[in-house]
């Protein structure tokens, strides 16, 4: 168990920072899980996530043959990995054992792993950080700025969640030097990642974090039906604080400019034909999506057959210039890319993961249930939004984020289910 715990920390810390090292730890986790699956298969096989995993394999096989025989596209990349890899979280959940110490350590390793990735991928991380502070957009060599921002934004969610949990449940340790040190460390991590989110100037991540804030406020509001004066005062304070924070951020010239620089493009989207839309950041995304709609309508159930179909759609688009076709290889929307590659069956698998996790977490009986629900709502809101503007479902960055967060969220439910069924 401890070897697998160390492997979990190794995977979480190095998967993006140094993929080769991270994959070694991932291999150990997978091999260990296979052994665990053999010895506990009667219990594990009852989990609907594993059945959904089998459906993911079947859907990719069917999509492949469908693409070959029934579409003008010839699939060239047969692999079960694109959808199957989205289930790594189940392995992580299995080895975390629902142990709060393991989960906190994993989330802490994730936060450190994001910073370590920025250091190792950048040729001059200190200079790039200082450049970012001056208002220049930076990415620290991680794919592009949106991917760096996605990692940093999710790290903010993790660190704030841990601070909140620690203060609520382990307040007594705040009287000790190590308790204060840990919370201070998490606070520093949060500040660093907030700065990273600012430096990347990724509007989709800003929007995702804003949506998380709004959704959590509504969740708290509707969950507390008593509406006593103390609760109402808290809600008013949170709303006013949130408004003042957002207003203050918009006073920063770089942020204000980035938020509103494409308002004319957005305003004209409904009035213009796709080929008339400006080829700006927002405009190109809309053109990519328009380019996909006819293919989705033509082959809705099984898609075109593999993940490279996204590049095929771009090449066949009547709305994009040749220069754009040469530069871009993906459609900048996770949901559309799943539909293009694997159809509605593939999208059913992807969204089914979250549905099963949510359903099981909400039904779970545990003293920590509310914290897990908070975490599930926050992460899902964040992850759903960022996939509207980038194809994180189909990238290693998204696979990594989903594995760590869903693994931590699902761990408590899975461990209790296993223990209960073993006792019977």
């Amino acid at each position: 168990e401890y070897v697998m715990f160390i492997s979990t920390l190794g995977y979480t810390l190095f998967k993006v920072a140094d993929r080769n090292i991270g994959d070694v730890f991932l291999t150990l986790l997978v091999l260990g899980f296979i052994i665990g699956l053999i010895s506990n298969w009667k219990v594990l096989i009852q989990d609907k996530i594993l059945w959904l995993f089998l459906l993911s394999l079947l859907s990719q096989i069917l999509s492949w043959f469908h693409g070959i025989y029934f579409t003008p596209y010839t699939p060239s990349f047969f692999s079960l990995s694109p959808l199957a890899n989205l289930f790594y979280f189940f392995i992580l959940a299995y080895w975390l054992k629902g142990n709060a110490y393991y989960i906190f350590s994993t989330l802490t390793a994730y936060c450190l792993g994001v910073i370590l990735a920025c250091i190792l991928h950048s040729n001059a991380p200190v200079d790039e950080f200082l450049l970012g502070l001056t208002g220049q957009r930076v990415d620290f060599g991680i794919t592009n700025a949106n991917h760096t921002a996605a990692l940093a934004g999710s790290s903010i969610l993790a660190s704030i969640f841990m601070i909140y949990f620690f203060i609520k449940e382990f307040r007594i340790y705040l009287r000790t030097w190590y308790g204060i040190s840990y919370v201070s460390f998490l606070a520093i991590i949060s500040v660093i990642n907030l700065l990273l989110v600012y430096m990347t100037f990724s509007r989709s991540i800003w929007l995702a974090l804003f949506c998380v804030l709004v959704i959590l406020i509504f969740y708290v509001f509707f969950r507390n039906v008593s509406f006593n004066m103390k609760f109402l005062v808290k809600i008013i304070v949170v709303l006013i604080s949130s408004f003042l924070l957002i207003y203050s951020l918009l006073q920063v010239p770089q942020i204000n400019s980035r938020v509103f620089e494409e308002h004319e493009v957005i305003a004209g989207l409904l009035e213009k034909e796709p080929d008339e839309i400006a080829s700006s950041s927002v405009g190109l995304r809309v053109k990519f999506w328009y380019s996909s709609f006819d293919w989705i309508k033509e082959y809705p159930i099984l898609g075109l057959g593999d993940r490279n179909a996204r590049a095929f759609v771009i090449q066949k688009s009547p709305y994009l210039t040749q220069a754009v076709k040469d530069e871009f290889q993906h459609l900048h929307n996770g949901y559309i890319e799943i539909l293009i590659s694997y159809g509605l069956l593939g999208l059913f698998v992807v969204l089914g993961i979250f549905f099963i996790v949510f359903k099981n977490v909400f039904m779970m009986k545990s003293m920590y249930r509310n914290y897990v629900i908070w975490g599930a709502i926050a992460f899902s809101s964040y992850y759903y939004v960022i996939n509207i503007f980038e194809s994180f479902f189909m990238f290693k960055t998204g696979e990594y984020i989903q594995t760590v967060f869903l693994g931590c969220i699902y761990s408590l439910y899975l461990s209790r289910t296993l223990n209960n069924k073993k006792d019977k």
Side-chain angles (χ1 to χ4, degrees):
E1 179 179 328
Y2 290 108
V3 173
M4 293 298 102
F5 172 55
I6 296 299
S7 297
T8 299
L9 295 183
Y11 164 79
T12 308
L13 186 62
F14 290 107
K15 178 59 179 176
V16 173
D18 190 317
R19 184 173 171 182
N20 292 328
I21 297 176
D23 284 346
V24 170
F25 288 113
L26 179 60
T27 302
L28 292 175
L29 290 171
V30 172
L31 292 176
F33 176 75
I34 291 173
I35 296 173
L37 181 61
I38 293 172
S39 58
N40 298 294
W41 71 272
K42 289 184 178 179
V43 178
L44 286 171
I45 202 65
Q46 297 179 47
D47 196 296
K48 291 182 176 62
I49 289 293
L50 289 183
W51 288 99
L52 194 63
F53 170 72
L54 296 177
L55 180 60
S56 77
L57 304 182
L58 177 62
S59 68
Q60 290 174 102
I61 294 171
L62 292 175
S63 292
W64 169 265
F65 284 105
H66 175 261
I68 291 176
Y69 294 109
F70 301 102
T71 74
Y73 171 67
T74 303
S76 59
F77 181 76
F78 179 72
S79 173
L80 299 176
S81 296
L83 296 186
N85 287 357
L86 298 178
F87 290 84
Y88 278 138
F89 80 91
F90 190 84
I91 297 176
L92 213 69
Y94 178 80
W95 289 120
L96 288 175
K97 305 292 184 182
N99 186 308
Y101 173 76
Y102 288 179
I103 293 171
F104 264 57
S105 298
T106 299
L107 290 175
T108 303
Y110 177 85
C111 295
L112 289 174
V114 172
I115 296 174
L116 182 62
C118 291
I119 294 172
L120 295 182
H121 283 267
S122 175
N123 293 325
V126 175
D127 292 341
E128 198 164 353
F129 188 86
L130 294 175
L131 186 64
L133 290 178
T134 66
Q136 297 295 314
R137 194 181 194 193
V138 296
D139 59 21
F140 295 92
I142 303 176
T143 310
N144 61 45
N146 289 323
H147 287 248
T148 308
L151 292 166
S154 54
S155 182
I156 291 170
L157 296 182
S159 54
I160 291 177
F161 172 81
M162 287 188 286
I163 291 172
Y164 176 76
F165 183 91
F166 196 90
I167 291 174
K168 291 284 287 186
E169 296 296 327
F170 302 118
R171 189 174 303 171
I172 188 173
Y173 292 107
L174 292 177
R175 301 173 184 174
T176 64
W177 68 269
Y178 52 85
I180 295 174
S181 299
Y182 182 62
V183 171
S184 300
F185 169 75
L186 291 176
I188 293 171
I189 291 291
S190 299
V191 172
I192 292 174
N193 281 290
L194 279 169
L195 290 173
L196 290 176
V197 168
Y198 162 71
M199 295 172 186
T200 53
F201 287 93
S202 177
R203 289 170 297 199
S204 61
I205 306 304
W206 296 351
L207 176 62
L209 291 174
F210 173 74
C211 289
V212 170
L213 177 63
V214 172
I215 290 170
L216 286 179
I217 289 175
F218 272 97
Y219 172 70
V220 171
F221 186 79
F222 287 107
R223 182 171 168 268
N224 293 267
V225 294
S226 58
F227 298 112
N228 57 61
M229 184 58 65
K230 182 179 179 181
F231 169 72
L232 290 176
V233 170
K234 287 183 178 179
I235 286 294
I236 292 172
V237 169
V238 169
L239 290 175
I240 293 176
S241 300
S242 301
F243 173 79
L244 291 175
L245 173 63
I246 294 169
Y247 178 79
S248 300
L249 289 173
L250 289 175
Q251 303 313 301
V252 178
Q254 292 89 343
I255 294 178
N256 186 281
S257 174
R258 182 66 175 163
V259 169
F260 296 108
E261 67 181 355
E262 294 201 53
H263 70 279
E264 292 183 0
V265 176
I266 296 172
L269 290 179
L270 297 178
E271 302 173 359
K272 296 181 179 180
E273 294 297 319
D275 54 354
E276 298 174 339
I277 297 173
S279 294
S280 62
S281 177
V282 172
L284 279 177
R285 279 172 166 78
V286 174
K287 288 184 177 183
F288 289 139
W289 304 343
Y290 266 115
S291 302
S292 307
F293 293 155
D294 287 339
W295 294 101
I296 293 172
K297 287 188 290 185
E298 187 73 20
Y299 308 102
I301 307 301
L302 295 173
L304 294 177
D306 70 4
R307 65 184 299 175
N308 288 343
R310 55 191 180 180
F312 171 79
V313 169
I314 289 175
Q315 291 301 318
K316 295 294 182 179
S317 173
Y319 311 123
L320 302 170
T321 65
Q322 190 58 48
V324 171
K325 293 178 180 181
D326 293 339
E327 181 178 357
F328 294 96
Q329 298 296 314
H330 66 97
L331 300 167
H332 291 78
N333 184 297
Y335 309 98
I336 288 176
E337 288 207 4
I338 294 293
L339 286 169
I340 285 291
S341 299
Y342 306 111
L344 287 170
L345 187 57
L347 188 63
F348 174 82
V349 169
V350 173
L351 299 183
I353 293 173
F354 288 85
F355 175 79
I356 293 173
V357 169
F358 255 81
K359 176 176 174 291
N360 290 338
V361 163
F362 270 85
M363 293 175 60
M364 177 180 66
K365 294 181 180 179
S366 168
M367 62 183 293
Y368 298 131
R369 174 178 172 271
N370 286 336
Y371 293 108
V372 179
I373 291 174
W374 273 73
I377 292 174
F379 170 68
S380 298
S381 304
Y382 176 81
Y383 199 54
Y384 282 167
V385 172
I386 65 175
N387 266 288
I388 295 174
F389 305 100
E390 282 287 345
S391 311
F392 287 106
F393 288 134
M394 303 286 274
F395 276 99
K396 289 295 180 182
T397 306
E399 173 195 311
Y400 170 62
I401 294 172
Q402 178 170 323
T403 297
V404 174
F405 280 82
L406 284 190
C408 292
I409 290 168
Y410 202 58
S411 179
L412 192 59
Y413 166 80
L414 182 60
S415 64
R416 287 179 176 267
T417 301
L418 289 173
N419 292 333
N420 290 339
K421 290 180 178 178
K422 283 179 181 179
D423 292 339
K424 294 178 182 179

